[in-house]
Structures are given as structure tokens and as C-alpha cells.
């Protein structure tokens, strides 16, 4: 599956175990100054192995780029999206987007109809009205907030409010 990285979550960490290559992880989190708190209502992560072509010192270089990923899988109650390598000149199957209450308005994740069938949550952190969600979206999918319906824009580089 080819995934275009539109935006990442706030929560980054690295793991390096003995005799293994390092891996970098990303998920949703809520920023409080310099601190990132985890208030997951949907637990999951995006994993970048060293061989994926991702550079951890410059994560913004991956924005707008397409990577080959395995299908999301559930392990121990967490959604895992494994990024395995860069892809060039391919049409993405899905897009990794991040939505927040400050930009996209309130989303009621516990109610039916907040998203279309083509949306796969990877990680959602929420505390009170604040949230950050990392989602996989197909080109024709949508999410609904109190402001209206959000879809990917024509060039697939950001979410756009389509109706209020």
C-alpha cells in the first residue's frame, strides 16, 4: 500500500534494542508546553525502520512524500502502521493526516458517522475538548466535525472544509 504523509502526530520516540536496527515511532499526543501527554482513546503508532528512507532528524522532509507501507495491523490492542520504504512517482492509495480541535473543530469520536468507511484511525489522544488524531484516509473519504465535512483537497496535500 502506498501512503502519502500529509502530517505527523506530536508524539515521537525512538527504540534501539541490542543487535537490532533503530526504529522511530509517531503517534497522536497532546502538547502542554514542551511536554506531550498521552490520553489515548485509540492506541496506535506509525513505525519507521532504518531501511524505510525516513530521517529522524528531519521528519518534515517526509511531508508530501509517498512511502510503501504494510497494511495496518492490530497487535496487543494497538494499531500499527509499518513504513517500509520510499516510493517515487506513484499515486498514493491512502494519506496519513493529523487533525486537531484547534484547526478542524470538535469531532465526536464516540458517535457513529464521524467518518466515512475509508478512514482508519491510527492513534487518537483526547482530554476534554482537546484532541489530536492520526488517521489514514482514502482519497474519497471524509471526516465530520462541528464545522462540517473535511475531505482531502484536489492535490491531496491537506484537508479542506467542504460543507458547514
Amino acid at each position: 500500500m502506498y501512503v502519502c504523509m500529509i502530517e505527523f502526530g506530536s508524539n515521537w520516540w525512538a527504540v534501539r534494542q541490542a543487535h537490532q536496527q533503530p526504529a522511530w515511532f509517531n503517534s497522536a499526543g497532546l502538547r502542554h508546553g514542551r511536554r506531550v501527554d498521552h490520553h489515548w482513546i485509540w492506541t496506535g503508532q506509525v513505525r519507521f525502520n532504518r531501511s524505510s528512507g525516513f530521517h529522524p532528524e528531519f521528519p518534515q522532509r517526509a511531508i508530501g512524500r509517498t512511502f510503501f507501507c504494510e497494511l495496518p495491523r492490530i497487535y496487543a490492542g494497538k494499531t500499527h502502521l509499518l513504513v517500509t520504504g520510499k516510493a517515487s512517482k506513484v499515486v498514493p492509495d491512502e494519506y496519513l493526516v493529523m487533525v486537531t480541535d484547534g484547526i478542524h473543530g470538535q469531532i465526536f469520536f464516540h458517535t457513529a458517522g464521524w467518518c466515512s468507511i475509508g478512514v482508519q484511525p491510527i492513534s487518537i489522544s483526547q482530554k476534554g475538548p482537546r484532541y489530536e488524531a492520526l488517521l489514514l484516509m482514502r482519497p474519497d473519504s471524509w471526516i465530520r466535525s462541528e464545522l462540517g465535512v473535511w475531505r482531502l483537497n484536489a492535490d491531496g496535500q491537506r484537508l479542506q472544509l467542504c460543507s458547514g
Side-chain angles (χ1 to χ4, degrees), residues 15-23 47 50:
V15 174
R16 182 179 173 115
Q17 297 176 344
H19 309 293
Q20 289 186 351
Q21 296 293 328
R47 177 185 174 130
R50 183 175 182 188

Side-chain angles (χ1 to χ4, degrees), residues 12-126:
W12 285 98
W13 71 98
V15 174
R16 182 179 173 115
Q17 297 176 344
H19 309 293
Q20 289 186 351
Q21 296 293 328
W24 300 275
F25 296 86
N26 181 251
S27 71
L30 296 175
R31 283 205 170 277
H32 299 282
R34 291 183 167 181
R35 194 176 76 219
V36 176
D37 288 333
H38 311 188
H39 298 283
W40 286 311
I41 61 170
W42 189 286
T43 308
Q45 61 199 18
V46 179
R47 177 185 174 130
F48 295 89
N49 289 339
R50 183 175 182 188
S51 61
S52 68
F54 174 78
H55 197 296
E57 292 182 28
F58 306 102
Q60 294 299 59
R61 289 183 183 172
I63 299 298
R65 301 207 178 217
T66 301
F67 289 80
F68 183 75
C69 301
E70 293 186 6
L71 292 173
R73 297 183 183 185
I74 306 290
Y75 294 115
K78 295 180 182 178
T79 303
H80 295 263
L81 178 66
L82 176 61
V83 180
T84 58
K86 287 183 182 178
S88 59
K89 299 181 182 177
V90 296
V91 176
D93 301 308
E94 304 206 22
Y95 296 81
L96 185 72
V97 301
M98 190 260 296
V99 294
T100 65
D101 57 289
I103 296 171
H104 301 95
Q106 204 52 235
I107 296 176
F108 302 101
F109 296 106
H110 296 294
T111 62
W114 72 268
C115 68
S116 66
I117 292 174
V119 175
Q120 164 69 52
I122 299 296
S123 175
I124 302 173
S125 290
Q126 184 176 29

Side-chain angles (χ1 to χ4, degrees), residues 151-163:
R151 295 182 185 271
L152 287 165
N153 67 349
D155 63 4
Q157 295 302 306
R158 64 183 175 84
L159 288 177
Q160 182 175 343
L161 186 61
C162 295
S163 64

